[in-house]
Amino acid sequence: MDKRVSLAKRRGYVFQSSEIYGGLGSVWDYGPLGVELKKNIKERWWRSMVHERHDIEGLDAAILMHPKVWEASGHVAGFTDPLVDCKQCKNRFRADDPKIKGTPGQPDAQCPVCGSKGTLTAPRQFNLMFKTFMGPVEEQAAVIYLRPETAQGIYVNYLNVLQSSRQKIPFGIAQIGKAFRNEITPGNFIFRTREFEQMEMQFFVKPGTETEWFEFWRGERMKWVEGLGVRAEKLRWHQHGKDELAHYATDAYDIQYEFPFGWQEFEGIHNRTDFDLSNHQKHAGKKLDYLDPKTNERFVPYVVETSAGADRTTLVVLCDAYREEAVRGDEAAEGGEQRVVLKLKPSLAPLKAAVFPLVNKDGMPELAHRIHDDLRRHFNVFYDDGGSIGRRYRRQDEAGTPFGITIDGQSTQDQTVTVRDRDTLKQDRVAAGKLVEYLTQKLAG
Ligand code: ATP
């Protein structure tokens, strides 16, 4: 994992937040390449969930919501982790932290940080929602929360979307947005952070059909994940046992990836029943039921949710693409016998190609600049004339750039260039005028 984190920093994927001040715990910033990768993943999700479906609408709800939303949703009372404090060193742990020896609250319990005995408190529930105050007065009545999930913005808008879009049940609402959780055991880079982005879709169905839709969405979501180019043997399903289910769910499956730190979830498919809509109906005193135009029946819809983390999915893609390889032949002579390469799916890669004049003379830079200007009207393309060509290839391998376009002595004679494939290291000779067509074809999918 350390190698992936250091590559992510070196190549401008992910930086620690506020790094010059020593960083802010479990908060990360996306650099020039990271922002492109994450955006490509979000756009792919949006396209498949919203644009390619007739039965899903998009939404962008605000992060700040009426505080009663979180009472109705159960988050004020139930979105908690049991924590223990060490009275000696003031550190705080999850009660189930395997590093704690003994039973917290009892004289035998030993603090995993300072080693004191009998100083750990009994577990207390700690709410994971970030609180702040709205308006000028810092008092209880002004408390609001940063949303811990995007789903609630969808539920409270469900009638607005239904009526304005003229959809009929079954239909869904999709949203991408930030969520915040004051996680106590964050870590593993961008796996668990305090500020993160979710890509969530809530599908509203007639009660009695939810199991069928649940299965449908499990299938769709796994297909989408496989479409990111992630190796199939690194993916698996995990069904939640009774003790793992969230307070709102009756059934839940996670899609897990085998990260360098083990198998972990990055997306969940949840059967949330009518829990959320019924509770909002009660707390807001507004009817949220649906009149089926065909059968004239009234019901509160059931919800099947697909909930993915944009950051965690980005981490999956980054971890899966990372390879260290032995290199032979010309490439080894030019750039060394080992290379680190991010084998990102070309359509997800931040940079699609890099343009290299072989040397900075003999008309090569002029032609290279012309090609670069032409290509960047179509793709995100990089220009690099620094160092040996072997070194330039290796930098782009690490960045995950699928194609390297070299302008050499022959290019200025016949207007052809070489295109090097990041994965096979094969080189094609392509007419400069055909590059857009060539790349468009290679980047599809
Ligand atoms: P975990 O148990 O790993 O914290 P969760 O089961 O609480 O996750 P959900 O509430 O189901 O997660 O959230 C759905 C998705 O949102 C997760 O699969 C994950 O991709 C993302 N997510 C949740 N919490 C975080 C976080 N703290 N940092 C980054 N992504 C997160």
Side-chain angles (χ1 to χ4, degrees), residues 110-345:
Q110 197 170 337
C111 173
V113 170
C114 70
S116 307
K117 226 173 173 180
T119 56
L120 294 182
T121 64
R124 282 182 300 206
Q125 293 298 326
F126 177 84
N127 199 292
L128 299 180
M129 283 195 292
F130 277 99
K131 272 186 199 171
T132 186
F133 299 96
M134 185 141 129
V137 192
E138 296 198 357
E139 58 174 27
Q140 190 55 32
V143 166
I144 56 165
Y145 303 95
L146 300 187
R147 67 182 178 196
E149 61 174 26
T150 60
Q152 299 304 324
I154 293 181
Y155 300 135
V156 300
N157 276 297
Y158 136 83
L159 268 190
N160 287 336
V161 175
L162 183 70
Q163 286 159 2
S164 58
S165 66
R166 306 180 62 232
Q167 287 279 2
K168 292 190 176 57
I169 278 176
F171 88 109
I173 304 177
Q175 165 161 244
I176 299 177
K178 291 264 182 166
F180 303 82
R181 297 182 187 177
N182 199 0
E183 303 275 7
I184 294 308
T185 46
N188 281 326
F189 195 36
I190 53 170
F191 177 79
R192 186 173 286 114
T193 54
R194 295 193 164 110
E195 171 176 346
F196 55 98
E197 240 176 323
Q198 290 186 313
M199 309 185 287
E200 293 199 308
M201 192 281 296
Q202 314 294 321
F203 205 73
F204 301 89
V205 306
K206 185 172 175 178
T209 67
E210 67 277 7
T211 309
E212 206 178 302
W213 280 110
F214 188 71
E215 289 308 314
F216 172 81
W217 279 111
R218 279 182 54 199
E220 289 297 293
R221 293 311 302 150
M222 189 54 107
K223 268 191 259 166
W224 185 82
V225 167
E226 286 169 354
L228 297 172
V230 178
R231 289 167 290 180
E233 69 270 22
K234 296 271 183 185
L235 296 167
R236 71 176 189 194
W237 286 107
H238 166 75
Q239 184 179 20
H240 284 210
K242 286 275 164 284
D243 53 334
E244 283 173 273
L245 284 171
H247 62 273
Y248 51 74
T250 58
D251 199 3
Y253 276 83
D254 294 337
I255 305 179
Q256 294 187 334
Y257 176 77
E258 192 179 17
F259 290 96
F261 46 85
W263 287 96
Q264 293 286 346
E265 120 175 48
F266 64 102
E267 168 151 1
I269 293 89
H270 309 131
N271 178 355
R272 293 180 76 134
T273 70
D274 60 354
F275 178 89
D276 300 274
L277 288 182
S278 292
N279 277 314
H280 285 307
Q281 191 166 257
K282 235 183 281 158
H283 281 76
K286 292 259 161 53
K287 281 232 156 295
L288 295 177
D289 58 0
Y290 177 78
L291 176 65
D292 190 326
K294 278 201 216 103
T295 60
N296 251 346
E297 271 174 275
R298 269 187 187 284
F299 56 83
V300 176
Y302 269 41
V303 169
V304 174
E305 166 186 69
T306 73
S307 176
D311 311 84
R312 264 193 214 176
T313 306
T314 302
L315 186 60
V316 167
V317 167
L318 271 177
C319 285
D320 203 64
Y322 182 93
R323 309 290 159 81
E324 292 172 8
E325 287 184 347
V327 185
R328 284 182 212 91
D330 290 351
E331 287 255 355
E334 282 169 6
E337 287 173 356
Q338 272 282 329
R339 69 165 183 163
V340 171
V341 52
L342 281 187
K343 293 198 166 173
L344 296 169
K345 185 170 184 154

Side-chain angles (χ1 to χ4, degrees), residues 78-109:
F79 194 55
T80 54
D81 273 346
L83 299 181
V84 303
D85 293 295
C86 174
K87 286 183 271 189
Q88 183 63 36
C89 69
K90 312 285 180 218
N91 271 295
R92 184 168 263 186
F93 315 91
R94 271 170 71 141
D96 59 2
D97 191 325
K99 295 191 295 300
I100 295 176
K101 295 195 189 75
T103 313
Q106 302 297 317
D108 68 325

